[in-house]
Amino acid sequence: MPEANAQKDTAARELALHWQDLALEEYRALRGEIVATMETQDGGLRFGVAALGIVSAAGFNVWDDTAAAALIFLAVVPFVSAVVLTVWMGEVSRMMRAGSHIHRLEQFIQEQNPGLPEPVMRWETRLRDPRSEITRWERQYEWNYHAIVILFWSIGIASIGAGTYRALWGEKPLGNTAAVVVVAGVTLGAMLVVLFLVLRQLATICETEGRLRFLRRRQREVPAVTADGSQEVS
C-alpha cells in the first residue's frame, strides 16, 4: 500500500511538472508571436506609407491627364489606404489575442502555484489590473492605434477630394459628372465602412482608459472587510 501511494505521488509530481513545461512552452511561443506581429505591423505600415507615396506621386505626374489622375486619386489611393488599415488591424487583433491568452495562462499558473514571488508571471495581469501601480501612460492604450487609423483614413479621404476636384473642376474636367459623383460616393462609403469596422474592432480588443478609470472608481467605492469583520471604505 505505501508503495502504491508513493507511485501515485510520483505520477502526480511528474504530471504537474509536465503541464508546467507545456504552459511555459506555450507562454514562450505566444511571446514570440507577439513580437512577430509587432514586427509585421511596423513592416506593413512602412510598406503602406511607401506605396501611398509612390501611387500619389504617380497621380501628380499624370495630373494633366484628367482620366488617369481621377482614377488614381478616386480609386487606387483609397484602396491602398483601406488595405493597409485592414491588414494592420488584423495583426493588432492577433497580438491582442495572444496577450489575452497569456493573461489567462498567468492566472492559471498563479492559482496552481500560490507561492510564486510577486514579479513572476504577472506582466499581462498587472497591465489589465486597474488596481496595480502601473500608470495610465504605461498601460496598453489606444491613442497610438487611433493615430494610425486617422492618418491612413485621412489620406484616403483627401485623395477622394483631390480626385473629385480634378475630375469635375480642374483643367479639362470629365464630361460625365454623374459617373464621377457615383464613383466618389461609393469610394467614400467604402472608406466609412472600413473606418467603422476598424474602430469597432479596436473598441473590442482594447481596454479603454475610460473603462480603467471606471474600474478604479468602483474599486475605491467597494468597502474592504477588516480582520474583525467590520467594513472599511477605502
Side-chain angles (χ1 to χ4, degrees), residues 6-222:
Q7 291 177 354
K8 290 181 180 179
D9 292 340
T10 302
R13 286 195 297 270
E14 290 178 353
L15 179 61
L17 292 175
H18 182 61
W19 78 254
Q20 289 184 16
D21 291 339
L22 289 176
L24 291 175
E25 185 64 29
E26 185 177 21
Y27 188 92
R28 285 190 288 267
L30 290 171
R31 278 295 175 198
E33 181 175 351
I34 288 176
V35 173
T37 58
M38 294 176 68
E39 293 175 351
T40 305
Q41 290 173 45
D42 293 340
L45 292 176
R46 287 195 296 268
F47 172 80
V49 171
L52 288 172
I54 293 172
V55 174
S56 299
F60 285 114
N61 284 334
V62 297
W63 187 257
D64 293 335
D65 188 340
T66 305
L71 176 64
I72 291 174
F73 287 107
L74 279 176
V76 179
V77 173
F79 175 76
V80 174
S81 298
V83 169
V84 171
L85 274 180
T86 303
V87 174
W88 170 81
M89 190 70 254
E91 291 300 315
V92 173
S93 300
R94 188 158 69 102
M95 179 184 67
M96 292 298 184
R97 285 197 302 269
S100 297
H101 191 72
I102 286 177
H103 178 219
R104 291 192 291 270
L105 277 178
E106 289 179 351
Q107 290 180 320
F108 180 73
I109 292 176
Q110 291 167 22
E111 292 170 358
Q112 299 298 318
N113 300 273
L116 280 178
E118 174 62 29
V120 179
M121 301 298 288
R122 280 177 168 81
W123 172 249
E124 294 289 342
T125 301
R126 293 173 64 203
L127 281 179
R128 288 166 168 77
D129 185 4
R131 298 166 297 178
S132 69
E133 72 279 7
I134 300 178
T135 65
R136 59 177 298 182
W137 304 112
E138 296 173 329
R139 295 182 186 273
Q140 295 172 345
Y141 55 94
E142 300 177 51
W143 306 112
N144 55 334
Y145 298 143
H146 281 106
I148 293 171
V149 173
I150 292 173
L151 172 64
F152 283 92
W153 190 79
S154 299
I155 290 173
I157 296 301
S159 176
I160 294 173
T164 304
Y165 169 81
R166 182 64 188 91
L168 297 181
W169 299 291
E171 185 180 356
K172 298 179 182 179
L174 294 177
N176 197 338
T177 303
V180 174
V181 172
V182 169
V183 172
V186 170
T187 309
L188 178 60
M191 291 298 295
L192 290 173
V193 170
V194 169
L195 178 66
F196 170 76
L197 293 177
V198 169
L199 291 181
R200 189 178 70 170
Q201 184 68 4
L202 275 178
T204 301
I205 64 176
C206 295
E207 189 174 37
T208 63
E209 285 302 321
R211 174 172 169 76
L212 286 173
R213 287 194 295 271
F214 171 77
L215 291 175
R216 292 192 192 99
R217 185 170 63 251
R218 292 283 295 177
Q219 182 65 26
R220 288 195 297 268
E221 293 174 354
V222 173

